[in-house]
DNA sequence: CTGCATCCATTTTGATACTG
DNA sequence: CAGTATCAAAATGGATGCAG
């Protein structure tokens, strides 16, 4: 799409970050909180920076900022900003491309549930 | 299934390795070469330790050993051994549970291909 | 409220020698 | 041939201060 994405992918290719298209897809999720960020946006719609800070357990500002930026570099999420007085507010949301990932995320979810149920592990997940 | 798997999962839960079932599934792939290991077994059938050494670019014995062990802990692959004279040979293969992951791996593959094609990146993957 | 910069801790991966 | 043990390097994540 844009040049930024193009360069991003070309760098990853050159760095040998992935050797096949599957690994490219998985690289979209590689980051401790990325799946949860996407899931929150899918389930709950657009959210602010601070919403993620409050709802992702144990994440720091730096890491959240990094992962949001990477998701934007990969064009999976969009961002808008607006000012309230002198204070900046943000709104992150799923992009059109990001939404094409929803079926995959759902199947990841289903497989994990099936597998955990099969061994009768007591689950106590937030989401 | 077995207690070893159960303990494995409980440990991961306690370590905070995953907070939702999606992340549990993704944890199956978390390891630089795991997807390729699974893909090779799916496409080419059972293979030996040295086959992976020769076909996964730049992997070391320690890392290969670790990732194979983790895949076995997760019950995604099986292993058999036999002796030729005094020399041990091995055979790794997809397990029944591992095979339930095939549709997901295929969709990861398809998404990555679709995405890379859409930006017209020149691909030169081995597999 | 956002989020970058800095410095530190943890995790993951890699090189290599050694054993059965 | 198949691994484990050890040590080193790199990547990732976390805590916190400062700025717009």
């Amino acid at each position: 799409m844009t040049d930024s994405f193009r360069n991003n992918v070309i760098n990853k290719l050159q760095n040998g970050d992935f050797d096949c298209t599957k690994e490219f897809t998985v690289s979209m999720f590689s980051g401790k909180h990325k799946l949860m960020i996407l899931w929150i946006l899918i389930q709950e719609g657009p959210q602010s920076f601070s919403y993620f800070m409050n709802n992702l357990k144990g994440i720091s500002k730096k890491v959240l900022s990094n992962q949001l930026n990477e998701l934007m570099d990969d064009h999976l999420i969009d961002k808008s900003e607006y000012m309230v007085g002198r204070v900046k507010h943000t709104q992150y949301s799923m992009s059109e491309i990001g939404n094409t990932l929803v079926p995959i995320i759902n199947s990841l979810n289903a497989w994990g549930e099936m597998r955990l149920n099969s061994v009768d592990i007591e689950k106590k997940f937030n989401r």
Side-chain angles (χ1 to χ4, degrees), chain A:
Chain A
M1 208 127 244
T2 66
D3 282 340
S4 72
F5 174 76
R6 210 188 150 72
N7 291 333
N8 186 26
V9 175
I10 290 171
N11 285 336
K12 286 186 178 181
L13 269 166
Q14 289 174 342
N15 293 339
D17 281 3
F18 47 88
D19 302 320
C20 63
T21 52
K22 298 165 285 308
E23 285 172 323
F24 170 64
T25 308
V26 169
S27 77
M28 302 291 109
F29 307 134
S30 68
K32 191 166 171 182
H33 308 273
K34 281 188 189 172
L35 257 182
M36 281 306 295
I37 291 171
L38 294 174
W39 192 242
I40 287 174
L41 293 178
I42 291 168
Q43 297 298 303
E44 308 178 29
Q47 298 295 346
S48 66
F49 188 89
S50 58
Y51 184 83
F52 292 116
M53 280 302 291
N54 294 329
N55 288 279
L56 298 172
K57 72 168 193 192
I59 196 170
S60 70
K61 293 198 292 185
K62 194 200 81 173
V63 173
L64 175 57
S65 179
N66 285 168
Q67 308 216 341
L68 288 169
N69 283 332
E70 287 176 17
L71 288 167
M72 287 191 291
D73 288 344
D74 289 333
H75 295 276
L76 300 184
I77 66 175
D78 294 323
K79 168 184 175 180
S80 65
E81 303 182 3
Y82 59 96
M83 301 301 282
V84 173
R86 244 165 264 84
V87 179
K88 194 208 293 184
H89 287 242
T90 56
Q91 181 107 305
Y92 293 91
S93 59
M94 292 299 285
S95 71
E96 207 173 312
I97 292 166
N99 279 322
T100 65
L101 227 33
V102 171
I104 288 181
I105 294 176
N106 283 332
S107 60
L108 294 175
N109 209 24
W111 192 90
E113 221 159 79
M114 179 267 282
R115 194 73 190 97
L116 291 174
N117 282 337
S118 80
V119 288
D120 209 25
I121 299 288
E122 182 202 340
K123 291 166 299 178
K124 26 137 203 211
F125 300 125
N126 309 318
R127 304 158 194 280

